[in-house]
Amino acid sequence: MKRIAIFSSGSGSNFQAIVDAVQSGELDASIKLLVCDQPDAFVIERAKASGIPAFVFRAKDFESKDAFETAIHEELVLHGVEFIVLAGYMRLIGSTLLEKYATNIVNIHPSLLPAFPGKDAIGQALQSGVKITGVTIHYVDAGMDTGPIIEQECIRITKDETKSSLQEKVHRIEHGLYPRTLNTLFQTS
Ligand code: GRF
């Protein structure tokens, strides 16, 4: 059973979907740790409610990215983490963690990459006028949402689509796709 850490900076609905999938037996993994860079994030409450330990930090309390990633790495080792799942973690992973975890870091992004990388992918898709967008799960490399694609699912943008209605569709897809894709990945690696 894969020992994973989930990194999140916000509400953590994907964190919750992964927790629920582990509890229901849909996802064969053990969630060892939440890593969160925002002390007020709601995801911390979700971790508490599920009895999952959290490492919460503020980047500005450290001298450099290398310094906070070294602190994160110590926690990951302490909890025996083998695999990192990014779920709304609003920072680029730096060389310190990339070197240690190499191909064992994945991310979920709310667009069909390589379209609309970076922030506000949902807003970018709406603005652009595309009729199809979606969700991508990919390996993480040093770039912004550039690593090899693992899985994608499409979403149709309707005529009267708003940002919040599209966000809702994206979340609904993400909450099924992420646990399913992780499970397939863990069964084959
Ligand atoms: C998700 O839409 C994910 O694709 C993106 O950030 C959002 C996080 O949402 N990377 P939540 O915190 O899991 O609710």
Side-chain angles (χ1 to χ4, degrees):
M1 190 185 293
K2 202 68 101 181
R3 299 185 300 272
I4 69 174
I6 303 173
F7 286 34
S8 168
S9 305
S11 138
S13 69
N14 280 284
F15 172 88
Q16 191 66 55
I18 295 167
V19 168
D20 293 348
V22 166
Q23 276 169 6
S24 72
E26 187 205 333
L27 171 58
D28 188 24
S30 170
I31 307 168
K32 295 296 181 192
L33 188 67
L34 164 71
V35 173
C36 179
D37 62 338
Q38 300 294 334
D40 297 330
F42 183 61
V43 69
I44 298 165
E45 300 307 315
R46 295 186 192 268
K48 265 187 207 145
S50 312
I52 295 167
F55 175 64
V56 181
F57 70 99
R58 270 188 306 224
K60 64 173 192 212
D61 293 342
F62 292 83
E63 257 176 25
S64 62
K65 185 166 202 136
D66 174 55
F68 70 72
E69 288 203 342
T70 299
I72 293 173
H73 183 245
E74 279 166 16
E75 290 291 321
L76 295 175
V77 171
L78 207 64
H79 288 86
V81 170
E82 304 167 277
F83 195 96
I84 296 174
V85 175
L86 305 184
Y89 182 65
M90 301 304 281
R91 289 178 185 280
L92 279 180
I93 297 294
S95 54
T96 308
L97 282 177
L98 279 174
E99 275 163 25
K100 310 270 193 223
Y101 279 84
T103 56
N104 291 315
I105 312 178
V106 296
N107 181 42
I108 188 161
H109 183 77
S111 75
L112 292 177
L113 290 171
F116 314 126
K119 284 198 178 137
D120 192 23
I122 294 174
Q124 290 185 56
L126 263 184
Q127 279 284 316
S128 76
V130 295
K131 300 298 174 204
I132 304 277
T133 186
V135 171
T136 302
I137 294 164
H138 64 94
Y139 288 107
V140 171
D141 63 13
M144 173 83 85
D145 304 318
T146 50
I149 291 170
I150 302 166
E151 190 55 276
Q152 292 187 307
E153 200 165 317
C154 295
I155 296 167
R156 179 163 286 281
I157 297 179
T158 51
K159 227 172 42 215
D160 51 355
E161 201 78 70
T162 62
K163 200 161 163 186
S164 69
S165 68
L166 185 53
Q167 191 135 20
E168 220 169 279
K169 285 182 185 172
V170 164
H171 270 134
R172 207 171 321 126
I173 296 292
E174 288 184 335
H175 299 163
L177 187 67
Y178 215 1
R180 248 187 352 262
T181 305
L182 289 171
N183 199 50
T184 307
L185 212 57
F186 297 162
Q187 277 171 350
T188 53
S189 66

